[in-house]
Amino acid sequence: MPESVPLLDLRRQYDGIREDVLAAIARVCDSQSFILGPEVEALEREIAALTGAACAVGCASGTEALWLALVAAGVKPGDSVITTAFSFFASASAIVRAGATPVFVDVDPGTLNLDAALVDQQLRTKRPENLRAILPVHLYGQCADMAGLDRSAQEFGVAIVEDAAQAIGAEWSGRGAGSLGVAAAFSFYPTKNLSAYGDAGIVTTTRLEMAEHMRRLRNHGSPRRYYHDEFGWNGRMDAIQAAVLRVKLAHVADWNQSRRQRAATYDQLFASAGLTSGLTSSQSVAPVRLLSRSSQAKHVFHQYVIRAQRRDELRKFLADRKIGSKIYYPLPLHLQAAFSYLGLKAGDMPVSEQAAGEVLALPMFPELTAAEIRLVVESIAEFYS
Ligand SMILES: Cc1ncc(COP(=O)(O)O)c(C=O)c1O
């Protein structure tokens, strides 16, 4: 039996690709070309091909990618953008940085992704002023209900900008995350399924003119050096990050498949330990509940998340046994102090609020062993016994 189980162990991945990564970094050092350039351009082509988008624009982080996508989609000061109340802060702070106001909508109780029915209801009953876009997040690596959101977006004439930060390689009805709206933001933060050796991100888009705009925006709004047509920023990607990402990109489909296999092992062990009453029941009283998996979604399990009774006690119990876990996210966005100006309060997004008190991410990475998964599930069973 293993003595501990880390939430994520990047060293195991590194051990398998070390030579290739070091050679890629050496290639950049030898070229003495450190920002944008051929490595970033090659990565942009490869990510566009992987996602099925027309093109991609490499940038400094996933947060930067969200801002670029929103501005290029036409979001401007005074606009509003619908997004989920249950995500990482950047999903909403990028909207603010674009000068717009986030309009939070609650999540689906099964998947914890933006609830398309509630979005539709909001559009029909209280359509936000100057609504420009809907920004769904593909939480934990599973696409939001893009069929429902797309119907509403089309009917009401607004753009969809995907927050695909956690969803490289994910699909909805056979189409890649990153090709499901006008633009999509990916993060290559070191813990992501495809991760850099520092900060990096990319935007994919189905529209060539948006890609050109974003190339200018990431470089101080400059179409040519020292001439500036608008206010952009320094949001460029480092060549070393692109070179490392290109090495890893060759493995990401296999790594995502390994994540799916590990998720299936967790599911089976939870069921056979009698801890879950099967997939998805949001009304179930089982001590552990799994999130629903949409039949149209190909999940990439950036995180394997359970909803647990007495979650905080369970987390401490696991920590005492050297088993890593993490809470994504402990406080929904509408209750963050930074958004107090919106005037929202506890009770406004009940599904997100309940989820924030129950979710727990368990160890998940492609090299996680079956023995480690068994130890995690057995420890959880011991806690509830
Ligand atoms: C859903 C989501 N959106 C946006 C981001 C921002 O990405 P980054 O950390 O690369 O800026 C992240 C990751 O941290 C994320 O998980």
Side-chain angles (χ1 to χ4, degrees):
M1 263 294 179
E3 287 181 354
S4 62
V5 189
L7 182 66
L8 168 66
D9 183 359
L10 280 171
R11 178 160 288 280
R12 295 187 211 177
Q13 180 190 78
Y14 179 59
D15 288 343
I17 56 174
R18 185 174 179 279
E19 298 308 316
D20 292 345
V21 164
L22 294 180
I25 292 173
R27 191 170 70 228
V28 174
C29 294
D30 288 346
S31 77
Q32 291 290 296
S33 167
F34 295 112
I35 292 173
L36 300 177
E39 292 287 348
V40 174
E41 286 163 21
L43 178 73
E44 289 173 342
R45 285 192 296 275
E46 290 160 8
I47 293 282
L50 175 87
T51 58
C55 34
V57 178
C59 62
S61 68
T63 307
E64 189 70 34
L66 279 168
W67 175 76
L68 288 169
L70 287 165
V71 174
V75 174
K76 56 184 189 317
D79 285 348
S80 45
V81 176
I82 286 180
T83 193
T84 166
F86 196 61
S87 181
F88 180 59
F89 187 65
S91 308
S93 65
I95 295 170
V96 177
R97 168 124 192 264
T101 303
V103 177
F104 294 119
V105 171
D106 211 352
V107 293
D108 173 85
T111 62
L112 302 185
N113 268 321
L114 183 60
D115 188 326
L118 289 181
V119 170
D120 197 67
Q121 193 183 54
Q122 169 106 24
L123 288 169
R124 281 174 210 291
T125 55
K126 295 182 277 188
R127 184 172 175 184
E129 251 179 66
N130 302 325
L131 182 69
R132 188 73 49 191
I134 301 172
L135 192 149
V137 178
H138 304 320
L139 194 69
Y140 307 141
Q142 175 170 238
C143 286
D145 174 3
M146 296 307 290
L149 293 172
D150 204 37
R151 262 195 308 277
S152 302
Q154 300 233 358
E155 182 179 338
F156 290 90
V158 295
I160 290 186
V161 173
E162 302 167 74
D163 181 340
Q166 305 183 357
I168 189 87
E171 292 178 8
W172 178 266
S173 291
R175 288 171 54 210
S179 69
L180 305 168
V182 293
F186 291 88
S187 164
F188 300 129
Y189 184 76
T191 59
K192 296 293 194 272
N193 291 26
L194 174 61
S195 61
Y197 282 3
D199 270 315
I202 209 163
V203 194
T204 54
T205 177
T206 43
R207 303 202 182 156
L208 291 173
E209 73 283 3
M210 275 181 67
E212 284 314 310
H213 190 189
M214 291 189 284
R215 285 184 212 289
R216 295 193 298 276
L217 286 170
R218 77 174 168 187
N219 200 13
H220 293 290
S222 170
R224 67 191 163 108
R225 210 162 203 183
Y226 306 127
Y227 292 82
H228 305 270
D229 294 350
E230 63 186 316
F231 292 99
W233 205 250
N234 173 1
R236 300 177 299 242
M237 183 189 271
D238 288 349
I240 284 182
Q241 300 309 340
V244 170
L245 287 163
R246 292 183 66 209
V247 170
K248 293 192 178 196
L249 189 60
H251 300 277
V252 81
D254 287 346
W255 288 339
N256 282 343
Q257 183 57 22
S258 295
R259 287 171 181 271
R260 279 189 287 274
Q261 281 160 355
R262 276 141 191 82
T265 304
Y266 268 122
D267 291 353
Q268 279 157 16
L269 292 177
F270 276 128
S272 50
L275 287 166
T276 53
S277 49
L279 292 181
T280 85
S281 78
S282 44
Q283 285 85 35
S284 142
V285 288
V288 170
R289 285 182 285 145
L290 307 182
L291 303 191
S292 346
R293 319 274 163 74
S294 317
S295 57
Q296 295 101 312
K298 188 173 182 186
H299 204 317
V300 293
F301 290 97
H302 170 56
Q303 300 296 345
Y304 184 87
V305 171
I306 60 169
R307 302 180 73 162
Q309 286 184 14
R310 296 191 285 132
R311 189 265 321 268
D312 296 337
E313 281 172 66
L314 171 62
R315 184 158 191 246
K316 180 164 185 322
F317 182 88
L318 294 176
D320 290 344
R321 278 157 186 70
K322 298 195 176 63
I323 294 173
S325 67
K326 217 156 184 178
I327 298 168
Y328 304 107
Y329 297 94
L331 187 66
L333 293 171
H334 68 291
L335 301 180
Q336 296 287 348
F339 285 118
S340 57
Y341 71 94
L342 294 175
L344 295 165
K345 56 185 190 317
D348 285 345
M349 308 278 151
V351 184
S352 297
E353 290 163 30
Q354 194 185 341
E358 294 177 352
V359 288
L360 191 64
L362 301 177
M364 170 53 80
F365 49 97
E367 302 81 11
L368 187 68
T369 67
E372 287 173 320
I373 299 175
R374 262 198 310 280
L375 179 61
V376 176
V377 176
E378 281 168 14
S379 303
I380 293 174
E382 192 187 332
F383 174 77
Y384 288 113
S385 65

